[in-house]
Amino acid sequence: MAGREHLWAPWRMQMIRAPKEPGCFLCQKAAEDQDAENLVLERGRTCMCLMNLYPYSNGHLMVAPYRHTGEFTSLSDEEVAEMMTMARGWVGDLQKVGSPQGFNLGLNLGTAAGAGVADHVHLHIVPRWRGDTNFMTVLAEARVINQALEETRAELLRIRAGR
């Protein structure tokens, strides 16, 4: 397809192939009472929203159920509904903070689909801007994230508090 844009992130393969710490980082963050340090933005009844430590772009968030499962089909109606409702709210807040021109929302189910964490379902929210895939990624295997994660978190929480 001519004119199709791709979001390349070759550095993520290093993260995917790296030895895994024991346990599930999503479960660990859910169990801890350190939301600022863990970059957790919201806790609902069945799901939480947190910032991605390995972002594709500035403001890359994840929504995950608290329940540890890698099977999307095992999620309850309540979990799916809260996951999507939470994602919708954060897309709105990201629009106010960074004025992205688009979004990718997606689930990578299984390692063959690119899931870095295949045993805990999570929904990615990736803000996009025209031209956000540039030479830095290809030539230098570098990401250009224009704001510290903690600053982005603070801005998002300010927007959320003002609703």
Side-chain angles (χ1 to χ4, degrees):
M1 295 182 158
R4 182 181 222 177
E5 289 188 45
H6 297 277
L7 184 60
W8 297 102
W11 59 85
R12 290 185 61 85
M13 188 54 72
Q14 180 181 2
M15 186 265 305
I16 291 167
R17 289 183 175 154
K20 304 295 184 248
E21 296 287 324
C24 172
F25 85 92
L26 291 167
C27 289
Q28 290 168 351
K29 289 180 185 238
E32 294 174 357
D33 187 20
Q34 300 175 23
D35 287 355
E37 297 86 349
N38 289 329
L39 301 172
V40 173
L41 293 165
E42 178 181 8
R43 289 177 178 271
R45 235 177 76 60
T46 65
C47 297
M48 66 178 174
C49 180
L50 65 157
M51 300 183 74
N52 191 323
L53 287 176
Y54 301 98
Y56 286 113
S57 70
N58 199 57
H60 180 171
L61 309 179
M62 297 181 297
V63 180
Y66 297 124
R67 188 166 58 89
H68 184 83
T69 181
E71 297 298 323
F72 181 71
T73 56
S74 76
L75 294 177
S76 70
D77 291 346
E78 183 182 11
E79 287 168 322
V80 172
E82 186 170 50
M83 184 181 289
M84 295 310 291
T85 300
M86 199 174 275
R88 180 181 60 196
W90 286 107
V91 165
D93 292 343
L94 284 163
Q95 288 171 326
K96 294 172 188 168
V97 167
S99 302
Q101 296 156 328
F103 288 89
N104 293 118
L105 272 72
L107 299 159
N108 299 323
L109 303 174
T111 54
V117 181
D119 60 345
H120 197 133
V121 172
H122 54 286
L123 173 68
H124 290 269
I125 304 169
V126 183
R128 299 296 307 276
W129 294 265
R130 280 187 291 281
D132 64 7
T133 57
N134 61 35
F135 71 94
M136 291 294 289
T137 310
V138 176
L139 298 179
E141 292 188 10
R143 295 170 276 184
V144 178
I145 305 296
N146 60 8
Q147 187 176 44
L149 294 173
E150 295 80 11
E151 290 177 34
T152 303
R153 181 179 185 276
E155 280 190 46
L156 284 167
L157 291 175
R158 258 194 308 279
I159 292 291
R160 178 62 55 109
R163 270 206 234 164

